[in-house]
Every structure is written in structure tokens, then in C-alpha cells.
Amino acid sequence: MKRTIQMIKLICLTVIVAALFAYCGSKETSVEQTQEDSTHNENEASVEITEAQYKTVGITLGSPEMRSLSGILKVNGFIDVPPQNLFSVTTQMGGIVKSTPLLQGSNVSKGQVIAVLQNQEFVQLQQDYLESRSQLELTNSEYNRQQTLAQQNVNSQKTLQQSKANYQSALARENSLKQRLLLININPASLSAGNIRSQVDIYAPISGYVTEVNVNIGKFVNPNDIMFEIVNSANLHVELNVFEKDAVKVKPGQQVRFTMTNDTTELRAVVQLVGGEINPDKTVTVHAIAKGSKGFIPGTYLKAFIETASSEVLTLPQTAVVDFEGKKYIFVASQATTEVPVQHTEKETEAEKEKAGETFHFEMMEITTGISDGGYVEVQIPGNPDLTGKVVMKGAYDLLSKMKNSEEESGH
């Protein structure tokens, strides 16, 4: 009986010792796994390259710098014609179109004949003017004669007043007909009984190009009908739609960079006027004058960037910032990496160079970006560490690609 009890105690002790060994082994394995996981996580945010890769990629290092950047507003708009640059060509008297050389898109010069109209009323108007001019000469002579007689007390005051009234009536009629002739481009000073004509010329009021042609040969044009529309393209407007919340940032004089549909050429304009009314789509209309706007077609849609007020901010070149999984990062070199790579002799083989060469370590650091302008971007670096000469300015995306490849290989 006593022997049996001792055997039971021995078995229990053996089981306990075995359990302790198993527990210790499990704990050690857990610690090793934790260390491996930690090492793996650290490696995920870093990358290591050889000296040869360093030279091939052409990595350059630099420092964040304070720089004056202009805030940028991205907006849409279109080419607009200001009222003073759009001319509608009409005529004060109707007539039949005898000829016109214009087509839509034709270029015209100021003073160029753009149409010829014919109407018998033109003839009657010239006849009336010549008759009124002759009548004016007659009444003027009679009035002067009556004035002379009145000074000699030969005629009555009533006769003198009647003569004066006839003269003034003839003068008013002659002036009225003269103005009507000027409206249809007939010069009264050169008009005589021998050069009365039934046709009048219509002249281009400005230089520009034709956007509308509403007549054809043989068509009768009524008074004040719009025959042509001509645009002076010297100073076309860029009409922009700025969201209500951004309108306070826009001021006259600010620069605008824009590109038109299906054209990558960047053009310039200057903000002239900021509208004071909010449109139904919650935007404010901004007018800018384009520089060198010849050749623009009114109504063409465009994309624009308005340069708002400048401010001093911490910046890096845009090539230094990478986008990874929706976040912005930079690569920072370790202290050893900032040193110049070792110079090898020509006698060394490629294998010896590779073996003797350094390895360069870079850590990926998350940042926040702000406004961008002229190839630079505002950056906010958590903790404001000293990164003098440590930030990868060129080759950042190559390092990101290298890091992704390393992760994929380690995953396999």
C-alpha cells in the first residue's frame, strides 16, 4: 500500500514537470514570434538599397525649406465676350442685300465694306436733301434781304419775322435730312444731283471676326435687323465660377492660369471683377481678362487655377512626396546614408565592388500636405524633427517601389 502511494506521487511530479517545460517552451515561442512580428512591422516602413542601386536611381537628398507659395483655387469657366467687344451690325433703313463677302468665321478690318444694300427710298432721301439744301439757300437769301430792308425801314416787322421763320424751318429740315444720310453712310457734303445712287455700303465697325451671318444675297433687311455679329478678340473675358465659400479669397489683380478644352497650352489672365451675387448653383461669377486672346472662340469651356494670396510655408519638391494607400509620405535617410558613397578603384571587379559597397537605409515618414505651386508643396511634418539634408528629393517613388517588392517577396 505504501509503495503504491509513492508511485502515484512520482507520476504526478512527472506530469507537473512536463507541463512546466511545455509552458516555458510556449512562452519562449510567443516571445520570439512577437519579436519577429515587431521586426517585420519595422521593416514595412523602411527600405534598404545597395550602393549600386543608390547610383542607378540617382537619389538626391535635401532639406525642407520655407518658401512663399500662392494658394490655388481650381475652378471651371468659359470664354466670354464683354459687351464692348461684341458688335451687332444693323441698318437704319431697310434694303435688299445686293452683295456680301462674309461667312461665319471671316476676319474683317474696321472700315471694310461688308455688305451692299439697295432701296429706292435711298434715292428719295437724297433727292429730298438736295431740294432742302436749295430751299435753304433761297430762304437764307430772302431773310438777309428782309433784314437789309428792315434796317432801311422799307418793310414791316411781320414780313421780317415770316422770312426768319421760313429760313429756320428750311435749316431744320436740311439738318434733319443730313443726319439721315449720315446714318446710311452717305456723305452729304459730296452729294450732288449728278451722283445720286440707289445703293449704300455697310462698313465693319471694328476689326475682329464674324460670329453670325443672318443675311444672304436678295434678302430684304428691315430697319434694325441684326445682319452680322462681329467679335473683337483683343480682350476677351474668362468667366469663372467660384464656389461661394472660396469667393472671399479672390481679389482683382490676381493671376489666373487656364487651359481650354482639348488643349494643354497654359494661358494667363488677370482677375478684373468679382461678382457680388450668388448664382443658383451656389457659385460667384469672376471675370478675368485674358492675355493674348486672339483666336479664342466665345463659349469655349476651360479649366483654371486662380492664384490667391501668397504665404510663407514649409515646403518640399513635389517629387519628394509619394502617395501610398491614400496617405502622403516622404523617405528620410539614416545618418549613415547621408555620407558620400565609397569610391572604388577601376581594378576591382563588380563582385568585389558589390561586396565592399555600403547599404543605404531609408525610413518612410507620414506627412500632411497643403497648397502646391510651381513644383513645390506645403508639408506638415509631425514632431518637427531635424531633417536637414536627410529627405529624399529625387527617387522617392523608386524607393516606394523597392519597398513594395520587398514586402511581396517576404510575404511569399
Side-chain angles (χ1 to χ4, degrees):
M1 181 69 180
K2 185 175 181 180
R3 184 184 179 90
T4 302
I5 293 173
Q6 289 177 346
M7 288 294 294
I8 294 173
K9 288 181 179 181
L10 181 59
I11 293 172
C12 290
L13 181 60
T14 302
V15 171
I16 292 173
V17 171
L20 286 174
F21 275 113
Y23 172 75
C24 291
S26 175
K27 184 174 182 181
E28 183 177 353
T29 302
S30 177
V31 171
E32 291 176 354
Q33 183 65 40
T34 302
Q35 291 175 344
E36 289 177 2
D37 291 344
S38 176
T39 302
H40 180 69
N41 290 334
E42 289 177 0
N43 292 336
E44 283 184 349
S46 65
V47 61
E48 180 181 286
I49 61 174
T50 64
E51 181 182 346
Q53 291 172 328
Y54 186 99
K55 291 180 178 180
T56 302
V57 171
I59 291 175
T60 58
L61 303 179
S63 311
E65 296 179 354
M66 296 299 295
R67 192 180 299 270
S68 179
L69 294 188
S70 298
I72 301 295
L73 289 179
K74 185 177 180 181
V75 297
N76 296 320
F78 59 92
I79 298 297
D80 187 30
V81 182
Q84 62 270 27
N85 282 37
L86 176 63
F87 286 78
S88 297
V89 181
T90 62
T91 179
Q92 293 293 323
M93 293 183 65
I96 297 173
V97 179
K98 295 299 294 182
S99 65
T100 177
L102 298 189
L103 296 173
Q104 188 171 350
S106 300
N107 291 315
V108 296
S109 301
K110 184 176 181 179
Q112 174 185 338
V113 176
I114 56 177
V116 176
L117 298 184
Q118 185 180 53
N119 195 333
Q120 62 181 0
E121 292 183 2
F122 301 155
V123 177
Q124 185 63 49
L125 181 59
Q126 294 169 83
Q127 178 183 342
D128 291 345
Y129 172 74
L130 291 175
E131 291 176 353
S132 69
R133 190 166 68 182
S134 298
Q135 187 66 27
L136 177 61
E137 292 174 357
L138 177 63
T139 55
N140 185 35
S141 298
E142 178 63 18
Y143 177 49
N144 290 334
R145 189 176 74 84
Q146 293 297 332
Q147 282 182 315
T148 302
L149 293 175
Q151 292 173 357
Q152 299 174 358
N153 295 321
V154 175
N155 62 346
S156 64
Q157 188 67 26
K158 181 179 180 181
T159 303
L160 176 62
Q161 291 177 345
Q162 183 63 46
S163 178
K164 180 180 179 181
N166 291 339
Y167 166 72
Q168 290 180 335
S169 176
L171 179 62
R173 176 174 171 76
E174 193 266 351
N175 281 331
S176 174
L177 292 171
K178 180 189 293 185
Q179 295 302 316
R180 292 181 65 185
L181 288 175
L182 291 172
L183 288 174
I184 60 173
N185 300 319
I186 295 178
N187 184 7
S190 61
L191 182 62
S192 65
N195 62 5
I196 293 176
R197 60 183 187 272
S198 62
Q199 297 181 354
V200 297
D201 296 331
I202 306 298
Y203 300 99
I206 59 167
S207 297
Y209 63 93
V210 180
T211 58
E212 285 190 24
V213 177
N214 299 320
V215 298
N216 55 268
I217 296 176
K219 182 177 181 179
F220 185 85
V221 179
N222 292 305
N224 299 321
D225 281 353
I226 296 177
M227 302 172 61
F228 311 99
E229 283 197 349
I230 302 175
V231 170
N232 179 3
S233 60
N235 291 302
L236 294 183
H237 278 195
V238 176
E239 185 170 308
L240 306 172
N241 299 318
V242 179
F243 286 112
E244 176 187 358
K245 63 182 180 65
D246 296 324
V248 294
K249 302 177 185 177
V250 183
K251 301 289 187 297
Q254 291 175 343
Q255 296 293 315
V256 178
R257 295 181 283 115
F258 66 96
T259 55
M260 292 186 288
T261 304
N262 299 325
D263 190 356
T264 58
T265 304
E266 187 172 87
L267 304 168
R268 287 273 181 175
V270 179
V271 174
Q272 182 188 44
L273 176 67
V274 180
E277 182 179 353
I278 299 175
N279 301 321
D281 59 354
K282 298 300 179 181
T283 62
V284 174
T285 300
V286 173
H287 293 277
I289 296 180
K291 299 179 180 179
S293 57
K294 289 186 178 180
F296 289 179
I297 300 176
T300 303
Y301 285 93
L302 54 87
K303 294 181 180 179
F305 299 91
I306 303 175
E307 300 178 359
T308 58
S310 299
S311 57
E312 288 284 334
V313 293
L314 188 66
T315 67
L316 281 172
Q318 290 180 332
T319 54
V321 180
V322 298
D323 193 336
F324 181 57
E325 295 182 349
K327 297 180 180 180
K328 304 293 184 181
Y329 295 91
I330 59 174
F331 282 93
V332 180
S334 65
Q335 186 62 36
T337 308
T338 61
E339 299 175 359
V340 178
V342 176
Q343 298 297 322
H344 300 280
T345 64
E346 296 181 357
K347 295 182 179 180
E348 289 180 297
T349 64
E350 291 298 325
E352 290 173 338
K353 292 179 181 179
E354 185 72 21
K355 183 177 179 181
E358 298 180 70
T359 55
F360 298 87
H361 301 268
F362 300 90
E363 299 290 334
M364 191 166 69
M365 179 181 295
E366 183 179 351
I367 62 168
T368 303
T369 59
I371 60 176
S372 59
D373 181 31
Y376 290 88
V377 60
E378 176 189 2
V379 294
Q380 298 172 5
I381 304 173
N384 297 318
D386 182 12
L387 300 180
T388 304
K390 298 180 180 180
V391 178
V392 175
M393 300 293 188
K394 181 182 177 182
Y397 270 101
D398 293 286
L399 293 179
L400 179 63
S401 178
K402 169 69 175 176
M403 188 185 72
K404 288 181 179 179
N405 292 337
S406 298
E407 289 178 4
E408 291 175 359
E409 291 173 3
S410 62
H412 291 301

